[in-house]
Amino acid sequence: DVKVTQSSRYLVKRTGEKVFLECVQDMDHENMFWYRQDPGLGLRLIYFSYDVKMKEKGDIPEGYSVSREKKERFSLILESASTSQTSMYLCASSLFLKGYEQYFGPGTRLTVT
Amino acid sequence: KQEVTQIPAALSVPEGENLVLNCSFTDSAIYNLQWFRQDPGKGLTSLLLIQSSQREQTSGRLNASLDKSSGRSTLYIAASQPGDSATYLCAAPAGGTSYGKLTFGQGTILTVHP
């Protein structure tokens, strides 16, 4: 069964802290994605990765970075958290041979105070 | 750039009704289209993936159709139940060299009341 897990369901951090959000998939998918979801703005792509150590910016990469050292793990890093980054963060993965069907994790609700 | 629109934004129906959710996209050069369900505070659950070579895909009481030429997809839910209450999102490939990147609609919030 397809499984995407995220390190935390809820997270509270202070302004200026460095924040790490972890995502792990067990399906040998080559593509992984980080989105944020905000009321009225929908899902917006922050970064994606199509292979180990390969990454590309999405629509809203400012203030974020990513790391993919192993195929199954994709990390989102908030270099210096700000209140504007309070949001729901969703990770997803997909496989070309499965028609790029995306599978999502449960999400991390991040609050920056 | 791909744009995806979903109509209606919200829908409230009595239990047992059949209903249709609409999705339109601007770039018809797509290889597939995906429908998701999202419960409050949760991640997205994939419901149906329609490949561009297909016109329909069915799963239980759900049926999704795809018309690339008109840039439209519909999700049909038969005999709706209160447990179907959720937000339904459609997503189309973002275009270009996408590596499976998707563009999402804003979603339709469905409420099925007993």
Side-chain angles (χ1 to χ4, degrees), chain A residues 9 37 48 99 101-102 104-106, chain B residues 32 34 38 41 43 46 100-101:
Chain A
R9 289 285 284 119
Q37 186 177 32
F48 73 101
E101 183 173 6
Q102 280 197 20
F104 279 77
Chain B
N32 64 24
Q34 196 167 356
Q38 186 177 31
S46 179
K101 282 194 298 181

Side-chain angles (χ1 to χ4, degrees), chain B residues 33-98:
Chain B
L33 185 132
Q34 196 167 356
W35 282 92
F36 296 88
R37 168 188 172 133
Q38 186 177 31
D39 294 294
K42 302 285 179 64
L44 280 66
T45 299
S46 179
L47 294 174
L48 290 164
L49 176 75
I50 315 174
Q51 301 293 351
S52 60
S53 57
Q54 301 171 310
R55 292 189 65 83
E56 283 189 6
Q57 188 70 261
T58 297
S59 175
R61 294 182 293 106
L62 306 179
N63 175 278
S65 66
L66 176 63
D67 184 345
K68 281 181 56 176
S69 61
S70 67
R72 295 186 182 198
S73 176
T74 61
L75 179 67
Y76 175 83
I77 302 177
S80 58
Q81 302 170 359
D84 294 330
S85 298
T87 298
Y88 291 81
L89 298 108
C90 73
T97 306
S98 69

Side-chain angles (χ1 to χ4, degrees), chain A residues 14-62:
Chain A
R14 293 193 182 275
T15 301
E17 277 194 77
K18 191 169 186 175
V19 182
F20 294 85
L21 303 183
E22 299 275 313
C23 175
V24 178
Q25 51 93 5
D26 65 358
M27 300 163 285
D28 203 34
H29 285 181
E30 73 267 6
N31 304 306
M32 295 188 75
F33 307 84
W34 274 107
Y35 299 90
R36 64 178 283 178
Q37 186 177 32
D38 302 286
L41 296 176
L43 268 89
R44 294 180 290 168
L45 181 65
I46 305 170
Y47 266 97
F48 73 101
S49 169
Y50 52 91
D51 202 349
V52 175
K53 297 190 187 293
M54 306 303 288
K55 60 188 178 186
E56 282 196 20
K57 294 178 181 178
D59 300 318
I60 51 163
E62 297 78 21

